């Protein structure tokens, strides 16, 4: 096992400030290994942000439907996440690559984004109260005006603001992980990020299943409001920990060009050109990973946003709940969907831990972990000869396709919960493999590419197919509503199996090269 003691012998978070990895003076920076406390401080924001995502993914669609939106329209609203990823994250990536402040390159964007995310999330939770207040304040209550369209419009705007605010946090935390961890620890840092993602998912889905609103002893607090308050507190604490304990490397040598004195407006205008230049000159392996992510995330979008709704619909059609009152059915159905997502998060978390123990164990004959095997051709791990992270990522895509196809045979919410939970096996590789490979490529390139811009291009590859998937989901829901044909949610899951097969083929081809 590799030694990680040179970051500091103590296990206190304060040791991170004394670590030579976190010196502000670039002449004193070294690629020394990070202790677990440094890795914890570096990656905890990943977990905090995942708590926010778990709230949005598990309860966002039911909340929007409760406001009066149709399923087909919610699919178009959720396009906010990939759309902001395409537009906002590249801007943040290039600007943070070309600007260095007294607070560093990434942390100012992370802090600003976190403030916007917390504010918009809380406003979304209280959107009905806000619109009621505006109606009274503007003296519209006596005009017989239907305030439902106003509420829906406000909720839509807040969903977009939330997703726009998340992008700087998401880009900054991934860039920090790559820039702070030395090349030999890129796979370990990526594994820690996946641990935090799993822990954030488990926490978020657990509080979603519990009656979290009772924790705050406010009778008027709804379940969704309690979740948003909890997620806001967790995200704020995580961002504070990373910003306070992690000192950024002075990575001005990694900037795109020497434009540190050029105005911000001119930098923003040059973003498309910089992105195209970076894409044309990025390492070949990173470009291939982006192609794989494009097809994979076209399949992940329906699952992540509609798995809760899928279990909810199965629950509500169960004969066991026919005699129950409708409000009670809906509440219990949403909790059943959240429980399915909790099982999904638990499976992903423990799969990540198990794989990291196997794949990060060095080969005794080559002193090389099986993570680097796809690039060296000398793969050997405790999982078996010639088994690497690329092969497992391929299997994960194929397993996802088979699982989504099996929805043809699912009839009860219990079997549906087992199915959703099993997808955690595939999700664990999605959280780890692409970012570990990209980080490895960036830190080992002789002419190191700009981290923020590379991650922004990777996010474009993740976000663009989700827009396509959102439009397809909306069309499927509309077709099912008009012509019938069963459960529209099940059909969008089945369609996701087709595109995931394409991702599996590309990953398999990548592993053979």
């Amino acid at each position: 096992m590799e030694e990680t003691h040179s970051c500091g012998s103590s296990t206190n978070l304060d040791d991170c400030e004394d670590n030579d990895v976190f010196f502000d003076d670039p002449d004193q920076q070294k690629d020394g290994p990070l202790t677990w406390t440094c890795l914890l401080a570096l990656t905890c924001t990943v977990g905090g942000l995942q708590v926010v995502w778990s709230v949005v993914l598990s309860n966002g669609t039911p909340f929007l439907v409760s406001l009066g939106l149709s399923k087909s329209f919610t699919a178009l609203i959720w396009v906010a996440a990939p759309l902001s990823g395409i537009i906002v994250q590249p801007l943040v990536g290039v600007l943070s690559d070309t600007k260095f402040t007294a607070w560093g390159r990434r942390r100012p964007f992370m802090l600003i984004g976190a403030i916007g995310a917390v504010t918009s999330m809380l406003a979304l939770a209280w959107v009905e109260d806000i619109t009621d207040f505006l109606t009274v304040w503007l003296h519209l209550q006596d005009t017989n005006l239907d305030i439902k369209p106003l509420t829906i419009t406000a909720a839509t705007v807040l969903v977009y603001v939330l997703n726009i605010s998340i992008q700087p946090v998401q880009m900054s935390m991934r860039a920090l992980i790559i820039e702070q961890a030395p090349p030999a620890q890129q796979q370990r840092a990526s594994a820690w990020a996946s641990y935090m993602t799993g822990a954030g998912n488990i926490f978020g889905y657990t509080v979603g299943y519990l009656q979290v609103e009772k924790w705050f002893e406010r009778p008027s607090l709804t379940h969704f409001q309690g979740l948003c308050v909890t997620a806001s507190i967790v995200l704020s604490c995580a961002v504070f920990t990373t910003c306070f304990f992690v000192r950024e490397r002075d990575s001005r040598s990694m900037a795109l060009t020497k434009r540190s004195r050029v105005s911000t407006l001119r930098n923003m205008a040059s973003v498309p050109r910089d992105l195209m230049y970076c894409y044309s000159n990025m390492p070949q392996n990173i470009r291939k990973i982006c192609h794989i992510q494009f097809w994979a995330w076209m399949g992940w979008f329906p699952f992540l946003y509609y798995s809760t709704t899928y279990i909810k619909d199965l629950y509500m059609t169960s004969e066991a709940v026919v005699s129950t009152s409708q409000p009670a059915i809906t509440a219990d159905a949403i909790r059943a969907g959240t429980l399915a997502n909790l099982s999904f998060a638990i499976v992903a978390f423990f799969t990540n831990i198990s794989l990291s123990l196997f794949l990060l164990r060095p080969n005794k004959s080559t002193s090389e972990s099986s993570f680097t095997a796809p690039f060296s051709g000398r793969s050997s791990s405790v999982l078996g000869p010639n088994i690497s992270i690329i092969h497992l990522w391929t299997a994960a895509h194929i397993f996802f396709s088979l699982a989504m196809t099996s929805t043809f045979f699912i009839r009860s919410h219990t079997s549906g919960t087992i199915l959703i939970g099993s997808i955690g096996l595939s999700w664990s590789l999605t959280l780890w493999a692409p970012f570990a490979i990209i980080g490895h490529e960036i830190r080992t390139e002789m002419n190191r590419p700009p981290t923020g811009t590379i991650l922004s291009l990777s996010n474009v590859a993740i976000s663009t197919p989700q827009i396509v998937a959102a439009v397809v989901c909306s069309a499927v829901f509309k077709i099912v509503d008009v012509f019938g044909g069963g459960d529209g949610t099940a059909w969008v899951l089945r369609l996701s199996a087709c595109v995931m097969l394409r991702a599996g083929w590309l990953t398999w081809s990548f592993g053979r090269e």
Side-chain angles (χ1 to χ4, degrees), residues 61 68 117 175 192 297 338 397 427 437 479 501:
T61 298
W192 267 81
W297 278 91
T338 305
H397 291 144
W427 182 240
I437 297 171
I479 291 172
L501 281 177

Side-chain angles (χ1 to χ4, degrees), residues 149-205:
L150 177 62
T151 303
I152 292 175
T153 301
T156 302
V157 171
L158 288 170
V159 168
Y160 273 82
V161 173
L162 172 61
N163 282 277
I164 289 172
S165 300
I166 284 174
Q167 300 308 314
V169 182
Q170 193 163 274
M171 191 286 303
S172 299
M173 69 186 187
R174 285 292 179 183
L176 276 176
I177 292 170
I178 290 176
E179 292 174 347
Q180 298 298 115
Q185 278 193 301
Q186 281 299 312
Q187 63 268 36
R188 188 171 299 280
S190 184
W192 267 81
S194 67
Y195 300 160
M196 292 298 142
T197 300
N201 269 330
I202 291 174
F203 179 84
Y205 290 133

